[in-house]
Amino acid sequence: MRRMTARPANAHQAKLLKLLRDAGPNSRAQLGDQVDLSRSKLAVEVDRLLETGLVVADGLAASRGGRRSHNVRLNPELRFLGVDIGATSVDVAVTNAELEVLGHLNQPMDVREGPVAVFEQVLSMAAKLRASGLAEGCDGAGIGVPGPVRFPEGVPVAPPIMPGWDGFPVREALSQELGCPVMVDNDVNLMAMGEMHAGVARSVGDFLCVKIGTGIGCGIVVGGEVHRGVTGSAGDIGHIQAVPDGRPCACGNRGCLEAHFSGAALARDAVEAAEQGLSEELASRLAAHGTLTAVDVAAAAAAGDATALDLIREGGNRTGQVIAGLVSFFNPGLVVIGGGVTGLGHTLLAAIRTQVYRQSLPLATGNLPIVLGELGQNAGVIGAARLISDHLFSPA
Amino acid sequence: MRRMTARPANAHQAKLLKLLRDAGPNSRAQLGDQVDLSRSKLAVEVDRLLETGLVVADGLAASRGGRRSHNVRLNPELRFLGVDIGATSVDVAVTNAELEVLGHLNQPMDVREGPVAVFEQVLSMAAKLRASGLAEGCDGAGIGVPGPVRFPEGVPVAPPIMPGWDGFPVREALSQELGCPVMVDNDVNLMAMGEMHAGVARSVGDFLCVKIGTGIGCGIVVGGEVHRGVTGSAGDIGHIQAVPDGRPCACGNRGCLEAHFSGAALARDAVEAAEQGLSEELASRLAAHGTLTAVDVAAAAAAGDATALDLIREGGNRTGQVIAGLVSFFNPGLVVIGGGVTGLGHTLLAAIRTQVYRQSLPLATGNLPIVLGELGQNAGVIGAARLISDHLFSPA
DNA sequence: CCTTCTTTGTCCTGTGAGTGGAGAAAGTTG
DNA sequence: CAACTTTCTCCACTCACAGGACAAAGAAGG
């Protein structure tokens, strides 16, 4: 039986586990340098962790000029499941306790099919990963959903793009199916956690993580912690007004950012442009596929199509304007741009940067990097694994 | 010698001091209920605090059905100075350790006269308060300045409206003059701390505190802590674009919120309206004073002047639009409106509310109070006193 | 091969923080 | 005056933790 049941018994053990997770195998001596404990006390706690099975011995390290150290590491048999439910696709990944992705599956799927259908899909993907020998069991799972979540309970609330999910007990249901602890969060927050853990936001305490996919959202990290807001809807910037009296939005208002730029809006605008004969490139793609997506626009832009480039620039400007306001307000140390439309690459990034650097206060932008996310498709699932591991590696 | 030199020796003592500050005199038994320590340990820590002189015995309390308790309280001779430097005036107040305002002076003064002149003024006001017998000495001072501050060092950085202050070592200089510890922060952050401590935001963890005075700023409180941002400029919302291609702003951009609504903008618009003959009320006031301020507009509005009301509504709408975006982004549990223009009262509040409730997500506004600050002129100085007491009541 | 130095890990004891119970002190209620 | 409450103090016991002594294991140099 290798299923993880133990939890750290105290804050020291929790800190050690997180250290081993983030820094990999380590000797007692090296751990001691980082946790502010005497060697004796540290040895005691490490021994207790070894007893629980959360941590295992990992052979001898090379000498550093004296006696060789006995390394310890997180139990390599531990497995976390990272699930990222997007508006139009589902990602499932298996990681070890150090949050390295061992296997990753992606499946197109419309979230509006509802929780039951989606979870059937998730479970079958998880089963496939397990069948491939990557995991015997599952010690915990993190789930991201594209909408606000009442975090303590793990329940989506009033999600605009996934009405069938309102109030569905995601955490409880999935915990039962998988037989392990489950944590649920907004997908954007998880992307932020992913980039913070293994991506471009390592060692940054306060940053914003803007995800532009089917919709637009923003992960807010304050002092290394995700800020979720009092009802779990923090970061929902898609419905901030970007254009006074602009396009009508599904939410009932006009001029929302999301109505002017997002995967969906971009596709819509591209179709319009193609139909109006503004771009042969887009028109031919429309004829070929019968529809257009952000990917088509990216391809057209890469081919030098002026209309596609304009659409991207225009969207980047809108987005940049909104981000400029948020930067003035929040004064982050970093802005990460991620999500499906990162395929639009530097055209988009340049437009966003221009707006932010022009409109925000110099003091706030003086030393503010605005960069693309590093983890791409992996950000969400890594963040999800991180979420559950943060939970399980905290005292019970 | 009654000057406070001691600091709490550990986290327990710090917690006890803050409890006594916030809840007033208390018995050991009542303290024990709130501090999660055994009675024996608690008694030890209280005794040590008594030894230091930070805390003194305060007689017997009424019986609650058994032996009467011996109350303790913070030393009633301790004095904090709260200083709130605004764009056009200086407030100085003396408080006791429980942060009750014992005396309060206000003096019009232009911050652009520079730190030397302003501090001369502050010191003379402090001397006057001392002379009136309210304070023998001063055990700590908190200072608010109308611009960004590098918080750890207590130095203003790149303040737009007070150029002469850039880099001036406020903390060090004032600490030397007053002979006591000093902490410096942005005035808006202090207002937020004031409302959190003794005002309308008691017991709210996450809230925004919008101060509309000569300029516009926003205090951001996350989990009971003020968020200052990486360069101390968080909350600087005055230069968020509110009107595309709107009025030119001193910052060089166009359409900044502050260019459209703030004490200064309102006065300017009122003069314009008066000169254009749109309002007799305003015109007669202009003739009488030679100039107009937000106070005149408030009076005209109170008298039913349609133009004045329109100006306020218009400004409230602009402000409300920006706040709506921030509410969607931050998802606070409360929005407090304060600052000089709160004299504009419910006309302003109604306009702001309308915009926020209309434009923000229902999930974020569903249970979101938007209220006027409770402390008025006192908010800044109380927040300042709170700032220094938080500092002094933390382990050294 | 042997000595000396370095690093790592273990063992043991002393210290100080903290708990919990006994009981004294000081009330209330009937 | 007896019985019950509440508050406060004292004391003994537990436990977390530090820090030193020491053993184990290796490197470097003669």
Side-chain angles (χ1 to χ4, degrees), chain B residues 12 37-41 45 48 60 63 65-68:
Chain B
H12 295 313
L37 272 182
S38 65
R39 271 178 318 212
S40 21
K41 177 63 181 165
E45 296 297 352
R48 287 185 190 159
L60 289 168
S63 165
R67 175 176 171 175
R68 294 167 63 192

Side-chain angles (χ1 to χ4, degrees), chain A residues 38 81-82 129 144 153 169 183 201 205 218 223 245 262 275-276 324 336 355 364 394:
Chain A
S38 66
L81 212 59
L129 286 166
E153 296 93 355
M183 294 288 280
C218 177
D245 296 315
S262 64
E275 287 172 348
Q276 290 175 12
V336 181
Q355 293 299 322
S394 298

Side-chain angles (χ1 to χ4, degrees), chain A residues 1-8 52-54 78 139 181 392 396:
Chain A
M1 193 53 200
R2 50 145 294 289
R3 194 59 68 82
M4 163 179 176
T5 52
R7 292 276 287 275
T52 66
L54 287 172
L78 291 176
D139 302 284
L392 294 176

